Amino acid sequence: EAPHGLTPALRCCPSPRKPRRRLQALLMAGNDVPPRRGKVLTVDTMNANVKKVEYAVRGPIVQRAVQIEKELKEGVKKPFNEVIKANIGDAHAMGQQPITFFRQVLALCSYPELLDDNKFPEDAKNRARRILKACGGSSIGAYSASQGIDCVRQDVSRYIEHRDGGIACDPDNIYLTTGASDGIVTILKLLTTGEGRTRTGVMISIPQYPLYSAALAELGAVQINYYLNEEKCWSLDIDELQRSLEAAREHCRPRVLCIINPGNPTGCAFHSFKKVLFEMGPKFSSTVELASFHSTSKCYMGECGFRGGYMEVINMDPEVKAQLTKLVSVRLCPPVPGQALMALVTNPPQPGEPSYAQFIAEKTATLNNLAQKAKMTEEILNTVPGIRCNPVQGAMYSFPRITLPERAIKDAKAKGQVPDMFYCMKLLEETGICLVPGSGFGQKEGTFHFRMTILPPTDKLQTMLRKLKEFHQQFTQQYS
Amino acid sequence: EAPHGLTPALRCCPSPRKPRRRLQALLMAGNDVPPRRGKVLTVDTMNANVKKVEYAVRGPIVQRAVQIEKELKEGVKKPFNEVIKANIGDAHAMGQQPITFFRQVLALCSYPELLDDNKFPEDAKNRARRILKACGGSSIGAYSASQGIDCVRQDVSRYIEHRDGGIACDPDNIYLTTGASDGIVTILKLLTTGEGRTRTGVMISIPQYPLYSAALAELGAVQINYYLNEEKCWSLDIDELQRSLEAAREHCRPRVLCIINPGNPTGCAFHSFKKVLFEMGPKFSSTVELASFHSTSKCYMGECGFRGGYMEVINMDPEVKAQLTKLVSVRLCPPVPGQALMALVTNPPQPGEPSYAQFIAEKTATLNNLAQKAKMTEEILNTVPGIRCNPVQGAMYSFPRITLPERAIKDAKAKGQVPDMFYCMKLLEETGICLVPGSGFGQKEGTFHFRMTILPPTDKLQTMLRKLKEFHQQFTQQYS
């Protein structure tokens, strides 16, 4: 069956099998490309920027972890019986439960026949009706506007106004995206221009979330590192910002300051930089171009798989905004179920609505559980000589610093491995714990870290931290 | 509430409001960038490739159509009372009904509590259980593997094997994507390299679907046009392929042959080029690098909003494939609901399963209805002097050729408009019918067309075709 086929008959169209020899010659034509190789597309002839892309969060350690899981399934004996993945902020995979109300509305939107089912609360049905009414043909299977569904963008803008204590947010400045990553890459794309010393430079915090370095490598922009102050709990240090800015001016054109907020991988708390701009007065709130991003993937909802996200752009040149709107229209629209979910996250059940009590109970339980695990992680790790962990304040990650014995560093380098990669790989092989080496996020020369999510269930997290403690002590002994 | 906030307290972190003056200086730093302007990002300082991007399917005509809809709502008097959008292949928006089985499974995956509900057939529940079992934490809210969920890729590969009469398809060659567009752009990205005469050239059929020209503009690759043979029902002409290939070799390095199949906008029938390669023998089936794409958006399902898609890559260099896998991992994963939907499209109810009869009935009804509307479109348009429409065979689009009077062409040029844009804009203003001018897809110099979907409900389509006929006759008279 032809995937799109309406009528299998070819009618007046000639069969593609007819002028065989000529088509053959043509299909081989690409191979004339020097360097003469069997393939048209090789690592030597592919996009060089793509080769520079690195993404540690799903890098070699994780690939090995997947392999080990297979080996365990096949009955291979290991010193452990399961792999604990603390490498990625994947809440549901770690057992966090979705919010009932969100999933009820998504089910209603997917299969509207359920709107007649009295098992569903009225407020869930009303939300579903409102979303469906805003969809073409009342179906989430229809394309939405490229910028996102109007009423969802209105929910987002009201949510931002509430977040910032009433500072106005125009729905026209809201773009719904395919997760936050999509929006970040789109804005960086708009900003990337120039050659050599005029190339766009983008200031990013080190340690950073590797999406930024990956996107900059792919776009051919210049990555400008500014280092967060680990001693002051990964805070942002103005002197350091100034230093990196001035240093960058020597070799590129700095145009963007990225702030990862709440901190990933460092876990620092969230501040609304839009609110900060407005507190700095109109000179700033009416001029500084700011794009900020959020997604449904983190926080109490942890709905990563739906790839829901939004960005707000303020003070953007109207002509550029028109270009942005055009650019996003090429991909037609963000996934509509993700848009629906974003509408629920930004406009959850309100006091007096039937689902309010359960929503608050579920949300609070999840946040308290995360806060408790954050505290436990900090406390247990700080009992280990050679590990120092800052408070985990705003995100689901810890980024503890580890002291590695000289001999371990030597051995690693001998193996051609970065020392903390060497450490994490050994940890994985001996304990089944999967972390991401600090080198995947960037760190001060000579310092070593790993990123660990706090997401595993409390008991599993506790076991993991205990194993980690034992491992670190053995490791230190072995190499001292 | 801080979007990700676990603890609102700042703990040891200094408030971002403290060293105010220095931060102000820093935030203004970007404005030092020459040319001195109020904004850092302007049309003069933005990515030049993005400016070159054009996407007619959501271009000026569509923007005006949206405006007119608003005006109608506000009670503005028009010679019509609704806008008929035949500009985009958005089946559900035009009233096409989703397949019940697909939506039942999606509801079950979204809200697994429904698995205990005896309103749902067992085969729908089994499909949902299978998909959920393959998700982290049995939740579609978890990230999937970046290449897509294993069991979904297996469904896709079996579907392709069936499509091609048993030719083997390796699930490792399947990548799930965010709609087909995402996959197409990713592969073009891998292939784009070189400067000046060594730049990658990509052969695309004219008329083309503007995603291709948009992606090539954005990537800075060279678009190589080959013209489909309208007289032979938009068929692919080897002489023309040869001509465009040789011409292109003068100024770039042709490396890719794109075939839009089934034809968009031309509506030609589908052929499996993988099958063709295998019929040409091992010399081709084992060497020619082929990437093919499919999505959940078209055909009888028309589920555009879910952004489900896949690509199959064969004969790709293993090192390049590793680079491809790395590249897609940066975006984490395609939307999981779209992946689930793709599993259902490629593995629908089977004979003997409870939902089989209804599935076949719904699918057949939709396809028959589309086939009937395809025929009606061709027949009615061909009764109009000055309009010639090829048979609509494989896709939901017609791309009829229109003859425009000399004076209309002059008037259009005087207005600085492309003649078929002038025609479509007038059509929209006078009848409320929204089509896309042929110039948005490309056409032979001196010929004019429009793309019209066949998706409106039969009665509405008939009215639309009648209005179109009247308009064309008046237009021709007015300008003769």
Side-chain angles (χ1 to χ4, degrees):
Chain A
E1 172 217 347
H4 310 54
L6 304 184
T7 63
L10 284 186
R11 302 266 200 92
C12 61
C13 291
S15 150
R17 295 179 198 69
K18 228 180 266 147
R20 182 62 51 85
R21 179 159 290 98
R22 314 268 312 283
L23 179 57
Q24 296 178 350
L26 203 73
L27 284 169
M28 283 307 173
N31 288 4
D32 299 350
V33 180
R36 190 154 190 85
R37 297 281 288 260
K39 306 255 178 221
V40 173
L41 185 57
T42 70
V43 281
D44 303 324
T45 63
M46 71 179 278
N47 183 326
N49 285 343
V50 170
K51 272 186 279 187
K52 298 196 195 103
V53 169
E54 285 178 13
Y55 192 67
V57 174
R58 293 201 161 184
I61 291 261
V62 185
Q63 285 158 25
R64 177 60 188 144
V66 172
Q67 221 169 28
I68 290 177
E69 277 181 324
K70 279 212 184 83
E71 292 171 18
L72 285 170
K73 272 208 198 81
E74 294 155 1
V76 180
K77 280 271 149 296
K78 304 265 178 193
F80 50 87
N81 46 32
E82 70 165 332
V83 171
I84 305 178
K85 290 218 190 81
N87 59 293
I88 184 167
D90 193 357
H92 290 194
M94 291 289 106
Q96 184 176 309
Q97 291 307 301
I99 298 289
T100 303
F101 179 79
F102 293 174
R103 295 309 197 88
Q104 286 175 328
V105 177
L106 288 166
L108 289 160
C109 289
S110 302
Y111 189 50
E113 281 76 352
L114 293 170
L115 285 165
D116 308 326
D117 188 327
N118 48 31
K119 258 203 319 305
F120 288 83
E122 264 318 304
D123 51 351
K125 289 182 181 179
N126 292 336
R127 287 292 199 298
R129 287 193 195 95
R130 176 164 174 269
I131 291 165
L132 289 171
K133 192 159 166 291
C135 294
S138 298
S139 168
I140 59 171
Y143 289 118
S144 76
S146 300
Q147 197 171 345
I149 298 171
D150 279 359
C151 74
V152 180
R153 292 192 291 116
Q154 284 156 17
D155 288 343
V156 170
S157 65
R158 276 193 295 266
Y159 166 84
I160 292 175
E161 285 177 349
H162 175 73
R163 180 197 72 189
D164 292 341
I167 297 165
C169 173
D170 182 346
D172 286 349
N173 292 344
I174 303 298
Y175 289 76
L176 301 183
T177 56
T178 306
S181 305
D182 169 43
I184 291 165
V185 172
T186 302
I187 292 294
L188 289 176
K189 190 181 289 169
L190 283 179
L191 277 153
T192 302
T193 177
E195 280 306 322
R197 286 200 52 184
T198 70
R199 271 202 305 166
T200 293
V202 178
M203 297 175 68
I204 62 175
S205 56
I206 299 297
Q208 56 119 16
Y209 173 56
L211 166 71
Y212 292 88
S213 47
L216 296 178
E218 191 188 311
L219 292 165
V222 178
Q223 175 177 332
I224 304 170
N225 296 337
Y226 65 90
Y227 291 85
L228 298 176
N229 187 336
E230 181 167 18
E231 285 58 42
K232 289 204 182 130
C233 172
W234 297 118
S235 58
L236 191 149
D237 176 343
I238 306 269
D239 288 326
E240 170 58 12
L241 282 175
Q242 200 67 54
R243 179 205 62 76
S244 73
L245 176 62
E246 277 152 22
R249 287 212 173 106
E250 301 300 315
H251 63 278
C252 69
R253 185 163 291 170
R255 304 179 74 199
V256 193
L257 171 60
C258 285
I259 290 144
I260 303 172
N261 176 36
N264 177 2
T266 54
C268 302
F270 173 79
H271 304 284
S272 165
F273 275 67
K274 184 185 179 191
K275 193 174 179 193
V276 171
L277 277 185
F278 276 77
E279 286 163 352
M280 288 165 70
K283 183 163 170 243
F284 300 91
S285 59
S286 64
T287 58
V288 176
E289 297 148 75
L290 176 71
S292 56
F293 311 86
H294 187 26
S295 88
T296 59
S297 302
K298 302 292 175 271
C299 194
Y300 68 90
M301 50 279 187
E303 296 277 13
C304 311
F306 282 84
R307 315 306 297 123
Y310 74 71
M311 58 181 170
E312 179 192 19
V313 291
I314 63 168
N315 297 322
M316 183 179 257
D317 179 296
E319 287 177 280
V320 175
K321 212 170 144 191
Q323 291 286 331
L324 171 59
T325 306
K326 176 193 71 181
L327 185 61
V328 297
S329 76
V330 176
R331 296 299 191 84
L332 294 166
C333 71
V336 174
Q339 294 187 48
L341 187 54
M342 187 53 87
L344 304 170
V345 167
T346 53
N347 181 17
Q350 299 305 309
E353 290 188 312
S355 303
Y356 181 71
Q358 187 183 358
F359 167 70
I360 293 296
E362 290 177 353
K363 175 183 171 180
T364 312
T366 303
L367 286 178
N368 290 345
N369 179 252
L370 286 171
Q372 179 205 349
K373 291 193 283 191
K375 196 145 188 32
M376 180 169 85
T377 302
E378 174 192 351
E379 284 170 357
I380 298 184
L381 287 178
N382 283 328
T383 65
V384 188
I387 299 186
R388 231 201 65 234
C389 180
N390 275 323
V392 178
Q393 299 169 55
M396 48 188 59
Y397 309 103
S398 66
F399 197 69
R401 179 165 175 176
I402 49 175
T403 313
L404 301 180
E406 272 316 313
R407 217 153 52 68
I409 297 170
K410 262 210 213 66
D411 280 26
K413 287 182 174 155
K415 279 204 174 68
Q417 275 184 338
V418 187
D420 51 17
M421 168 68 86
F422 174 79
Y423 177 94
C424 289
M425 198 56 98
K426 205 164 187 303
L427 175 73
L428 174 62
E429 296 290 349
E430 294 181 13
T431 67
I433 298 170
C434 179
L435 307 178
V436 189
S439 46
F441 304 89
Q443 53 200 351
K444 270 219 180 75
E445 182 64 28
T447 69
F448 304 108
H449 304 75
F450 56 73
R451 187 185 81 165
M452 188 189 100
T453 73
I454 60 167
L455 293 173
T458 311
D459 56 338
K460 196 176 274 188
L461 181 63
Q462 200 152 24
T463 320
M464 182 173 100
L465 289 164
R466 207 199 60 245
K467 281 179 157 189
L468 187 55
K469 181 175 185 165
E470 289 164 9
F471 171 83
H472 189 82
Q473 288 163 337
Q474 285 164 19
F475 184 91
T476 310
Q477 237 171 17
Q478 183 185 347
Y479 287 97
S480 300
Chain B
E1 173 218 344
H4 309 56
L6 303 185
T7 62
L10 284 186
R11 302 266 200 89
C12 62
C13 291
S15 152
R17 294 179 199 72
K18 232 182 263 143
R20 181 61 51 89
R21 179 157 290 99
R22 316 265 313 282
L23 179 58
Q24 295 179 349
L26 204 72
L27 284 170
M28 285 308 175
N31 288 5
D32 299 350
V33 180
R36 191 155 188 85
R37 299 282 289 261
K39 306 252 179 224
V40 173
L41 185 58
T42 70
V43 280
D44 303 323
T45 63
M46 70 178 279
N47 184 326
N49 285 343
V50 170
K51 272 186 282 187
K52 298 195 195 107
V53 169
E54 286 179 13
Y55 192 67
V57 174
R58 294 201 160 185
I61 291 261
V62 184
Q63 285 157 26
R64 177 58 188 147
V66 172
Q67 220 168 28
I68 290 177
E69 277 181 323
K70 279 212 184 84
E71 292 171 18
L72 284 170
K73 271 208 198 83
E74 294 156 1
V76 180
K77 280 270 149 295
K78 304 265 177 194
F80 50 89
N81 46 31
E82 71 165 332
V83 171
I84 305 179
K85 290 219 189 79
N87 60 293
I88 184 167
D90 192 356
H92 291 195
M94 291 289 106
Q96 184 176 310
Q97 289 308 301
I99 297 289
T100 303
F101 180 79
F102 293 174
R103 295 310 195 90
Q104 286 174 328
V105 177
L106 288 166
L108 290 160
C109 289
S110 302
Y111 189 50
E113 281 76 354
L114 292 169
L115 285 165
D116 308 326
D117 187 328
N118 46 33
K119 257 204 319 303
F120 289 83
E122 265 317 304
D123 51 352
K125 290 182 181 178
N126 292 336
R127 288 292 200 298
R129 287 194 196 94
R130 176 163 173 268
I131 291 164
L132 289 171
K133 192 157 166 292
C135 294
S138 298
S139 169
I140 58 171
Y143 289 119
S144 76
S146 300
Q147 197 172 346
I149 298 171
D150 280 358
C151 74
V152 179
R153 292 192 289 116
Q154 284 156 18
D155 288 343
V156 169
S157 64
R158 278 193 294 267
Y159 166 84
I160 292 175
E161 285 177 349
H162 175 73
R163 180 198 72 190
D164 292 341
I167 297 165
C169 173
D170 182 347
D172 286 349
N173 293 342
I174 303 298
Y175 289 76
L176 301 182
T177 56
T178 306
S181 305
D182 170 43
I184 291 165
V185 172
T186 302
I187 292 294
L188 289 176
K189 189 181 289 169
L190 283 179
L191 277 152
T192 302
T193 177
E195 281 304 323
R197 285 199 53 182
T198 70
R199 270 201 305 167
T200 292
V202 178
M203 298 175 67
I204 62 176
S205 55
I206 299 296
Q208 55 120 14
Y209 173 56
L211 166 72
Y212 292 89
S213 47
L216 296 178
E218 191 188 311
L219 292 165
V222 178
Q223 174 176 332
I224 305 169
N225 296 338
Y226 65 89
Y227 291 84
L228 297 175
N229 187 336
E230 181 168 17
E231 284 59 42
K232 288 202 181 132
C233 170
W234 297 118
S235 59
L236 191 148
D237 177 342
I238 307 269
D239 288 327
E240 170 58 12
L241 282 175
Q242 200 67 54
R243 179 206 62 76
S244 74
L245 175 62
E246 277 152 22
R249 287 212 174 106
E250 300 300 315
H251 64 278
C252 70
R253 186 164 290 169
R255 304 179 75 198
V256 193
L257 171 60
C258 285
I259 290 144
I260 303 173
N261 175 37
N264 178 3
T266 55
C268 301
F270 173 80
H271 304 284
S272 164
F273 275 68
K274 184 184 179 191
K275 193 174 180 192
V276 171
L277 276 184
F278 276 77
E279 285 163 351
M280 288 165 71
K283 180 160 174 248
F284 299 91
S285 60
S286 64
T287 59
V288 175
E289 297 148 77
L290 176 72
S292 55
F293 311 87
H294 187 28
S295 89
T296 59
S297 303
K298 302 291 175 273
C299 194
Y300 69 90
M301 50 280 186
E303 296 277 13
C304 310
F306 282 84
R307 314 307 296 121
Y310 75 70
M311 58 181 170
E312 181 191 18
V313 291
I314 64 168
N315 297 320
M316 183 179 257
D317 179 296
E319 286 178 282
V320 175
K321 213 169 144 192
Q323 292 285 332
L324 170 60
T325 306
K326 175 193 72 180
L327 185 61
V328 297
S329 76
V330 176
R331 295 298 189 86
L332 295 166
C333 71
V336 173
Q339 295 187 47
L341 187 54
M342 186 54 86
L344 304 170
V345 167
T346 52
N347 180 17
Q350 300 304 311
E353 291 188 311
S355 303
Y356 181 71
Q358 186 183 357
F359 167 71
I360 292 297
E362 291 177 352
K363 174 182 172 180
T364 312
T366 303
L367 286 177
N368 289 345
N369 179 252
L370 285 171
Q372 180 204 350
K373 292 194 281 191
K375 196 145 185 35
M376 181 170 83
T377 303
E378 174 192 352
E379 284 170 356
I380 298 185
L381 286 179
N382 283 328
T383 65
V384 187
I387 298 185
R388 233 201 61 235
C389 181
N390 277 322
V392 178
Q393 300 169 53
M396 48 189 59
Y397 308 103
S398 66
F399 197 69
R401 179 164 174 176
I402 49 176
T403 312
L404 300 181
E406 273 316 313
R407 218 154 50 69
I409 297 171
K410 260 212 213 68
D411 281 24
K413 287 182 174 155
K415 279 205 176 66
Q417 276 185 337
V418 187
D420 51 17
M421 168 68 85
F422 175 78
Y423 177 93
C424 289
M425 198 58 95
K426 206 162 184 307
L427 175 72
L428 174 64
E429 295 291 349
E430 293 180 12
T431 67
I433 298 171
C434 179
L435 307 178
V436 189
S439 47
F441 305 89
Q443 54 199 351
K444 271 219 180 76
E445 183 63 29
T447 70
F448 304 108
H449 305 75
F450 57 74
R451 187 185 82 165
M452 187 189 99
T453 73
I454 59 166
L455 292 173
T458 310
D459 56 337
K460 196 175 277 189
L461 181 63
Q462 200 152 23
T463 319
M464 182 173 98
L465 289 163
R466 207 200 61 243
K467 282 179 156 190
L468 187 55
K469 181 175 185 165
E470 289 164 8
F471 170 83
H472 188 82
Q473 287 163 336
Q474 285 166 19
F475 184 92
T476 311
Q477 231 169 22
Q478 182 185 347
Y479 288 97
S480 299

mmCIF file of all heavy atoms in Angstrom, chain B residues 30 36 50 56 65-66 97 103 173 193 219-220 239 242 263 280 302 350 352 372 387 436:
data_model
loop_
_atom_site.group_PDB
_atom_site.id
_atom_site.type_symbol
_atom_site.label_atom_id
_atom_site.label_comp_id
_atom_site.label_asym_id
_atom_site.label_seq_id
_atom_site.Cartn_x
_atom_site.Cartn_y
_atom_site.Cartn_z
ATOM 1 N N GLY B 30 26.074 44.810 24.724
ATOM 2 C CA GLY B 30 25.774 44.309 23.383
ATOM 3 C C GLY B 30 25.548 45.434 22.396
ATOM 4 O O GLY B 30 25.811 45.307 21.210
ATOM 5 N N ARG B 36 25.971 51.033 15.042
ATOM 6 C CA ARG B 36 25.330 51.467 16.276
ATOM 7 C C ARG B 36 23.830 51.598 16.048
ATOM 8 O O ARG B 36 23.363 52.327 15.190
ATOM 9 C CB ARG B 36 25.923 52.797 16.754
ATOM 10 C CG ARG B 36 25.465 53.135 18.161
ATOM 11 C CD ARG B 36 26.462 54.060 18.872
ATOM 12 N NE ARG B 36 26.072 54.184 20.270
ATOM 13 C CZ ARG B 36 26.429 53.309 21.195
ATOM 14 N NH1 ARG B 36 27.189 52.287 20.854
ATOM 15 N NH2 ARG B 36 26.026 53.443 22.447
ATOM 16 N N VAL B 50 18.538 33.228 7.167
ATOM 17 C CA VAL B 50 17.151 33.169 7.641
ATOM 18 C C VAL B 50 16.291 34.152 6.852
ATOM 19 O O VAL B 50 15.148 33.852 6.510
ATOM 20 C CB VAL B 50 17.072 33.457 9.155
ATOM 21 C CG1 VAL B 50 15.630 33.638 9.609
ATOM 22 C CG2 VAL B 50 17.756 32.346 9.946
ATOM 23 N N ALA B 56 5.618 29.851 1.349
ATOM 24 C CA ALA B 56 4.361 30.366 0.793
ATOM 25 C C ALA B 56 3.126 29.745 1.436
ATOM 26 O O ALA B 56 2.092 30.397 1.568
ATOM 27 C CB ALA B 56 4.334 30.116 -0.713
ATOM 28 N N ALA B 65 -5.895 35.936 4.807
ATOM 29 C CA ALA B 65 -7.091 35.112 5.049
ATOM 30 C C ALA B 65 -7.465 35.150 6.539
ATOM 31 O O ALA B 65 -8.639 35.312 6.888
ATOM 32 C CB ALA B 65 -6.838 33.678 4.597
ATOM 33 N N VAL B 66 -6.464 35.050 7.389
ATOM 34 C CA VAL B 66 -6.711 35.096 8.843
ATOM 35 C C VAL B 66 -7.325 36.440 9.224
ATOM 36 O O VAL B 66 -8.302 36.521 9.969
ATOM 37 C CB VAL B 66 -5.392 34.860 9.616
ATOM 38 C CG1 VAL B 66 -5.585 35.096 11.107
ATOM 39 C CG2 VAL B 66 -4.864 33.444 9.356
ATOM 40 N N GLN B 97 -12.496 13.055 9.872
ATOM 41 C CA GLN B 97 -12.581 12.500 11.220
ATOM 42 C C GLN B 97 -11.383 11.600 11.520
ATOM 43 O O GLN B 97 -10.936 10.858 10.649
ATOM 44 C CB GLN B 97 -13.872 11.690 11.373
ATOM 45 C CG GLN B 97 -15.121 12.571 11.402
ATOM 46 C CD GLN B 97 -15.014 13.694 12.429
ATOM 47 O OE1 GLN B 97 -14.831 13.445 13.623
ATOM 48 N NE2 GLN B 97 -15.068 14.940 11.960
ATOM 49 N N ARG B 103 -7.280 7.092 18.292
ATOM 50 C CA ARG B 103 -7.552 8.024 19.388
ATOM 51 C C ARG B 103 -7.841 7.288 20.686
ATOM 52 O O ARG B 103 -7.502 7.768 21.773
ATOM 53 C CB ARG B 103 -8.687 8.942 18.998
ATOM 54 C CG ARG B 103 -8.347 9.865 17.831
ATOM 55 C CD ARG B 103 -7.029 10.598 18.042
ATOM 56 N NE ARG B 103 -6.882 11.723 17.131
ATOM 57 C CZ ARG B 103 -7.292 12.956 17.414
ATOM 58 N NH1 ARG B 103 -7.849 13.226 18.585
ATOM 59 N NH2 ARG B 103 -7.125 13.920 16.524
ATOM 60 N N ASN B 173 17.882 1.230 11.034
ATOM 61 C CA ASN B 173 17.901 2.274 9.997
ATOM 62 C C ASN B 173 16.728 3.235 10.119
ATOM 63 O O ASN B 173 16.590 4.154 9.312
ATOM 64 C CB ASN B 173 17.881 1.642 8.603
ATOM 65 C CG ASN B 173 19.164 0.889 8.306
ATOM 66 O OD1 ASN B 173 20.182 1.098 8.971
ATOM 67 N ND2 ASN B 173 19.112 0.003 7.321
ATOM 68 N N THR B 193 27.819 21.376 3.055
ATOM 69 C CA THR B 193 29.223 21.692 3.316
ATOM 70 C C THR B 193 29.770 22.482 2.120
ATOM 71 O O THR B 193 29.068 22.729 1.157
ATOM 72 C CB THR B 193 30.038 20.384 3.534
ATOM 73 O OG1 THR B 193 31.405 20.720 3.705
ATOM 74 C CG2 THR B 193 29.902 19.467 2.338
ATOM 75 N N LEU B 219 20.219 26.689 5.391
ATOM 76 C CA LEU B 219 21.494 25.979 5.540
ATOM 77 C C LEU B 219 22.587 26.562 4.641
ATOM 78 O O LEU B 219 23.761 26.245 4.798
ATOM 79 C CB LEU B 219 21.314 24.496 5.219
ATOM 80 C CG LEU B 219 20.456 23.696 6.206
ATOM 81 C CD1 LEU B 219 20.060 22.358 5.598
ATOM 82 C CD2 LEU B 219 21.197 23.495 7.521
ATOM 83 N N GLY B 220 22.187 27.402 3.694
ATOM 84 C CA GLY B 220 23.175 27.954 2.766
ATOM 85 C C GLY B 220 23.625 26.943 1.727
ATOM 86 O O GLY B 220 24.728 27.019 1.198
ATOM 87 N N ASP B 239 15.840 13.196 -19.069
ATOM 88 C CA ASP B 239 16.615 14.203 -19.809
ATOM 89 C C ASP B 239 16.745 15.484 -18.984
ATOM 90 O O ASP B 239 17.799 16.088 -18.916
ATOM 91 C CB ASP B 239 15.927 14.533 -21.146
ATOM 92 C CG ASP B 239 16.077 13.380 -22.129
ATOM 93 O OD1 ASP B 239 17.124 12.704 -22.057
ATOM 94 O OD2 ASP B 239 15.135 13.137 -22.904
ATOM 95 N N GLN B 242 19.156 15.094 -16.173
ATOM 96 C CA GLN B 242 20.521 15.142 -16.694
ATOM 97 C C GLN B 242 20.919 16.601 -16.958
ATOM 98 O O GLN B 242 21.986 17.053 -16.550
ATOM 99 C CB GLN B 242 20.590 14.325 -17.990
ATOM 100 C CG GLN B 242 21.988 13.903 -18.374
ATOM 101 C CD GLN B 242 22.579 12.884 -17.390
ATOM 102 O OE1 GLN B 242 21.967 11.851 -17.123
ATOM 103 N NE2 GLN B 242 23.719 13.210 -16.809
ATOM 104 N N GLY B 263 3.536 13.319 -5.088
ATOM 105 C CA GLY B 263 3.839 14.690 -5.469
ATOM 106 C C GLY B 263 3.120 15.729 -4.629
ATOM 107 O O GLY B 263 1.923 15.674 -4.433
ATOM 108 N N MET B 280 16.583 -2.740 -9.311
ATOM 109 C CA MET B 280 17.710 -2.418 -10.199
ATOM 110 C C MET B 280 18.917 -3.296 -9.900
ATOM 111 O O MET B 280 19.927 -3.212 -10.592
ATOM 112 C CB MET B 280 18.071 -0.942 -10.056
ATOM 113 C CG MET B 280 17.043 -0.006 -10.681
ATOM 114 S SD MET B 280 17.260 1.709 -10.137
ATOM 115 C CE MET B 280 18.773 2.120 -10.995
ATOM 116 N N GLY B 302 -4.328 11.767 8.550
ATOM 117 C CA GLY B 302 -4.341 13.225 8.590
ATOM 118 C C GLY B 302 -4.072 13.824 9.957
ATOM 119 O O GLY B 302 -4.556 14.904 10.293
ATOM 120 N N GLN B 350 -5.487 -5.804 13.152
ATOM 121 C CA GLN B 350 -5.324 -6.910 12.217
ATOM 122 C C GLN B 350 -6.620 -7.720 12.123
ATOM 123 O O GLN B 350 -7.429 -7.682 13.044
ATOM 124 C CB GLN B 350 -4.172 -7.815 12.692
ATOM 125 C CG GLN B 350 -2.832 -7.108 12.784
ATOM 126 C CD GLN B 350 -2.428 -6.452 11.477
ATOM 127 O OE1 GLN B 350 -2.478 -7.083 10.410
ATOM 128 N NE2 GLN B 350 -2.081 -5.169 11.513
ATOM 129 N N GLY B 352 -9.354 -10.275 12.621
ATOM 130 C CA GLY B 352 -9.599 -11.087 13.807
ATOM 131 C C GLY B 352 -9.602 -10.267 15.078
ATOM 132 O O GLY B 352 -10.190 -10.661 16.083
ATOM 133 N N GLN B 372 -12.864 10.453 -4.505
ATOM 134 C CA GLN B 372 -14.020 11.066 -5.166
ATOM 135 C C GLN B 372 -13.790 12.571 -5.325
ATOM 136 O O GLN B 372 -14.018 13.140 -6.398
ATOM 137 C CB GLN B 372 -15.263 10.784 -4.317
ATOM 138 C CG GLN B 372 -16.564 11.360 -4.852
ATOM 139 C CD GLN B 372 -17.577 11.564 -3.725
ATOM 140 O OE1 GLN B 372 -17.359 11.096 -2.592
ATOM 141 N NE2 GLN B 372 -18.635 12.291 -4.024
ATOM 142 N N ILE B 387 -8.211 27.002 -17.500
ATOM 143 C CA ILE B 387 -7.680 26.211 -16.383
ATOM 144 C C ILE B 387 -7.462 24.784 -16.890
ATOM 145 O O ILE B 387 -8.346 24.211 -17.551
ATOM 146 C CB ILE B 387 -8.641 26.192 -15.180
ATOM 147 C CG1 ILE B 387 -8.844 27.603 -14.627
ATOM 148 C CG2 ILE B 387 -8.104 25.275 -14.082
ATOM 149 C CD1 ILE B 387 -9.679 27.668 -13.359
ATOM 150 N N VAL B 436 -2.830 28.798 -2.631
ATOM 151 C CA VAL B 436 -1.447 29.258 -2.646
ATOM 152 C C VAL B 436 -1.001 29.437 -4.095
ATOM 153 O O VAL B 436 -1.183 28.539 -4.915
ATOM 154 C CB VAL B 436 -0.505 28.249 -1.942
ATOM 155 C CG1 VAL B 436 0.879 28.857 -1.768
ATOM 156 C CG2 VAL B 436 -1.069 27.822 -0.593
#
